[in-house]
Amino acid sequence: YGPICDNAGGIAEMAEMPSEVRDRTDALDGLGNTTAATGKGFAIGSACLVGLALFGAFVTRAGLTTDEISLLSPLIFASLIFGAMIPYWFFAMTMKSVGKAANEMVKEVARQFREIPGLLEGAPGHAPADHARCIAISTDASLREMILPGVLVMATPLLFGTLLGTDAVAGLLAGSIASAVQMAISSSNTGGAWDNAKKYVEKGQVVIDGVPQRKGSELHKAAVVGDTVGDPFKDTSGPSLNILIKLMSIIALVMAPALKATWMSTEQ
């Protein structure tokens, strides 16, 4: 529902339809942000339960006892804290990736406006825009920029298991799951709220000193900044944390026998 309403608003704006059409699509888009945040809450809850189940399976497969994974152990406590930092690192990498790709897109659009006569003015008979190049920038960045976050998620439990043992991996998983769940919920709700806040300002619903704050005002500029940050919050970094929870747990579970054997041979 959310993306359909969002795209409907974009089409209405590009087609230069009457302003009342855009007003209605904005209202529908605002509702779509709310429904999307609600739906993402269910997805996050599902990822949390899956991560918890995989964590229990890992503990069983690795042959760990309750005493071995107690928080009173300095190793487990330190691993828990490090695991809680992994989602923040991952979150920052994905946010930065969105910014880099967006800058590349802006430069490409500016180049086409500069080099294709009449494109910016919309003059009749101008050469068509190079849409394929813009699509290539987006798709290439979406693949290239996920390499490092993917390596972070997959390599961390393997390194912990090899260097510190399977009990340290248990602490790592517990910390990452707890941290990622609250970050995912926060980012999905915050991103939608910032998006709707911009629409609220554009409707003139905010009045300061008797003056409605609309497009072009300082308040609107601040709301646009919030929306620019909020979009990757709710559409990129937040949902990707669900994958982080599941992928780290699955890799630890699959590699548990090998990590246990490697650690035992290292101790001997």
Side-chain angles (χ1 to χ4, degrees), residues 90-92 94-95 98 184 187 232-242:
F90 181 88
F91 197 96
T94 53
M95 287 288 291
V98 172
S187 60
F233 250 59
K234 65 184 177 64
D235 296 328
T236 303
S237 300
S240 64
L241 289 173
N242 298 342

Side-chain angles (χ1 to χ4, degrees), residues 61-136:
R61 195 174 190 196
L64 297 173
T65 64
T66 306
D67 292 336
E68 289 177 314
I69 57 174
S70 171
L71 284 178
L72 297 178
S73 167
L75 176 62
I76 300 300
F77 190 76
S79 300
L80 186 87
I81 293 176
F82 189 89
M85 292 189 291
I86 294 296
Y88 287 90
W89 192 356
F90 181 88
F91 197 96
M93 293 171 76
T94 53
M95 287 288 291
K96 185 178 179 180
S97 297
V98 172
K100 290 171 62 178
N103 284 331
E104 291 180 19
M105 187 75 73
V106 169
K107 292 178 181 178
E108 174 59 24
V109 171
R111 182 194 67 80
Q112 293 189 30
F113 280 153
R114 185 173 60 253
E115 297 180 1
I116 301 178
L119 179 61
L120 179 61
E121 297 80 10
H126 66 76
D130 188 1
H131 300 105
R133 177 56 188 157
C134 295
I135 295 172

Side-chain angles (χ1 to χ4, degrees), residues 142-220:
S142 66
L143 297 173
R144 183 181 65 252
E145 295 296 332
M146 280 309 296
I147 293 176
L148 288 180
V151 170
L152 172 67
V153 172
M154 292 186 288
T156 304
L158 298 179
L159 289 174
F160 259 67
T162 302
L163 300 177
L164 301 174
T166 52
D167 49 348
V169 177
L172 177 78
L173 293 179
S176 64
I177 292 172
S179 177
V181 167
Q182 63 89 15
M183 282 193 68
I185 294 174
S186 174
S187 60
S188 63
N189 291 334
T190 302
W194 282 337
D195 194 346
N196 286 353
K198 185 192 72 171
K199 292 180 173 60
Y200 193 73
V201 173
E202 290 175 348
K203 293 292 184 182
Q205 298 297 318
V206 180
V207 179
I208 299 178
D209 296 332
V211 180
Q213 303 296 305
R214 297 182 182 272
K215 287 186 177 181
S217 65
E218 291 300 318
L219 182 62
H220 181 259

